């Protein structure tokens, strides 16, 4: 495998980032088509069983037609039988459902009756989540319930546009485009930062996290051809900065104060810039991300040479080694185990993320339905603003 070009420096005594892990596999299943064809059903369930047997983390993204609960139950029953026959646990398989397609209580009930306890990811845009807010709120204390509310992935590189994200990776709850391959690294902010902001320890932890992700891309055997293609083309990294609420608590700041938001906004801007700079430096030592080179404009006529010159200049200014770099979770804005609503003041920090993940929600039993709706409404409004402000391409 080629070397990544990312410098691997030893950490200087701080708590290190966890090693990178493959993001896992999201399998899309069009339930009506699969259940109407025994051969397709056998092939689909066989592929899922094979991946679980290989210890690949799997989320099954089901597509229903007209809210067909009976079809979902039939598919989950067949899948459960296949996993049991292979001696494999059903609890490890996550289920991902469009929140607009089926009432959350029904989807969760089907999962419990067929596959047993486990995770159900409910995906949707702000409008769909708002319509289902009461149902989702009623499930807020049920283990395994996740709401994935950020259906968009930005690029760290200005030469590449944003992508729709209608799948969820297992375990991390990272919301991603279909068939995308991610190296995921968790980095606890509270372990390597202080009130002064960006520290040498944090810089070293970020360098170690990016090096770990690159090493995984260089060595990983992705489980499907689609993931292997995406890994080569986009070299996606999700450095998940966690413990933001714990960091606020540790430095004794008021989460509801504008000064606290400003402090963290500057810190995460520095974190993002550090990762972008490191990714750009890796291009000098290795190669430009293939996704960039394959988007080179094809201009004909007498201006073709000038277009090519402008494009090459833009690539020299903005090219990176990775399409995506920084990931955040709205739940990391809260201290561990504390769903104090004052921490929702920090939600604007999500604008720094290329992608968002939704695992690890604290207990929300003290939230009323108004709190729940307000939280997801603010996420939806923020995403709309991020989309409106996003830069689609580098100016040539």
């Amino acid at each position: 495998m080629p070397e990544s070009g990312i410098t691997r420096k030893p950490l200087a005594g701080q708590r290190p980032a966890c090693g990178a892990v493959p993001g896992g596999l999201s399998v899309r299943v069009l339930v009506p088509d699969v259940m109407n064809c025994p051969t397709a059903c056998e092939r689909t369930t066989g592929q899922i069983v094979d991946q679980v047997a290989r210890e690949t983390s799997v989320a099954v993204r089901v597509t229903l037609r007209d809210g067909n609960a009976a079809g979902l139950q039939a598919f989950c029953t067949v899948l459960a039988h296949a996993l049991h026959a292979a001696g494999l646990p059903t609890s490890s398989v996550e289920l991902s459902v469009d929140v607009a397609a089926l009432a959350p209580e029904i989807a969760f009930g089907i999962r419990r009756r067929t596959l047993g306890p486990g995770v159900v990811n409910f995906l949707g845009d702000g409008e769909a989540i708002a319509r289902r807010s009461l149902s989702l709120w009623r499930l807020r204390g049920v283990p395994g319930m996740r709401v994935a509310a950020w259906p968009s992935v930005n690029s760290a590189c200005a030469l590449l546009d944003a992508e729709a994200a209608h799948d969820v990776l297992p375990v991390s709850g990272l919301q991603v485009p279909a068939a995308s391959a991610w190296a995921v690294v968790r980095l606890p902010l509270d372990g390597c930062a202080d009130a002064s902001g960006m520290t040498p320890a944090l810089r070293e932890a970020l360098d170690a996290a990016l090096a770990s992700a690159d090493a995984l891309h260089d060595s990983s055997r992705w489980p499907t051809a689609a993931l292997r293609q995406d890994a080569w083309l986009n070299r996606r990294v999700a450095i998940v900065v966690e413990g933001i609420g714990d960091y606020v608590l540790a430095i004794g700041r008021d989460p509801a104060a504008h000064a606290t938001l400003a402090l963290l906004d500057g810190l995460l801007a520095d974190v993002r810039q550090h990762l972008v700079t490191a990714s750009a430096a890796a291009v000098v030592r290795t190669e430009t991300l293939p996704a960039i080179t394959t988007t080179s404009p094809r201009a004909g006529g007498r201006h073709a040479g000038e277009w090519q010159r402008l494009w090459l200049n833009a690539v020299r200014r903005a090219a990176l080694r990775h399409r995506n770099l920084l990931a955040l979770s709205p739940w990391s804005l809260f201290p561990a185990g504390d769903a104090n609503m004052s921490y929702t003041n920090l939600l604007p920090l999500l604008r720094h993320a290329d992608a968002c993940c939704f695992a690890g929600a604290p207990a929300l039993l003290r939230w009323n339905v108004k709190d729940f709706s307000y939280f997801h409404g603010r996420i939806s409004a923020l995403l709309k603003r991020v989309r409106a402000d996003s830069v689609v391409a580098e100016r040539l």
Side-chain angles (χ1 to χ4, degrees), residues 76-165:
C76 289
T77 299
V78 171
L79 177 58
H81 288 162
L83 289 165
H84 284 310
L88 297 169
T90 57
S91 59
S92 63
V93 176
E94 298 186 10
L95 203 63
S96 300
V97 183
D98 187 339
V99 74
L102 194 62
E105 299 101 322
I106 294 175
F108 219 104
I110 290 172
R111 201 246 136 81
R112 285 289 182 89
R113 288 192 299 274
T114 56
L115 293 166
V119 173
V120 180
N121 302 296
F122 292 104
L123 299 95
D125 58 20
E127 185 178 338
I129 291 171
R131 287 199 306 269
R132 298 288 196 186
S133 60
L134 181 58
S135 296
L136 292 168
W137 172 75
R138 287 172 177 157
L139 292 171
R140 70 198 184 285
V142 179
M145 197 281 278
R146 276 192 209 138
V147 181
W150 197 273
S152 182
V153 167
N154 285 332
S155 174
C157 176
L159 297 170
L160 298 171
D161 58 4
E163 303 165 279

Side-chain angles (χ1 to χ4, degrees), residues 45 108 163 169 186 212 216 294 316 328 343 378 380:
T45 55
F108 219 104
E163 303 165 279
L169 294 185
R186 298 170 58 189
S212 178
L216 186 142
T294 57
R316 278 192 288 270
L328 297 172
Y343 285 87
R378 286 207 50 193
S380 175

Side-chain angles (χ1 to χ4, degrees), residues 79 110 114 133 152 191 221 275 286 302 318 341 375:
L79 177 58
I110 290 172
T114 56
S133 60
S152 182
R221 299 181 64 182
L275 292 171
T286 53
R302 61 192 181 89
M341 284 294 291
F375 176 76

Side-chain angles (χ1 to χ4, degrees), residues 15-18 185-193 202 205 240-244 247:
R15 185 166 71 184
C18 299
V185 191
R186 298 170 58 189
L187 195 158
L189 182 65
D190 56 311
C192 47
L202 181 53
V240 186
V241 175
E242 301 181 316
I244 295 171
Y247 169 74

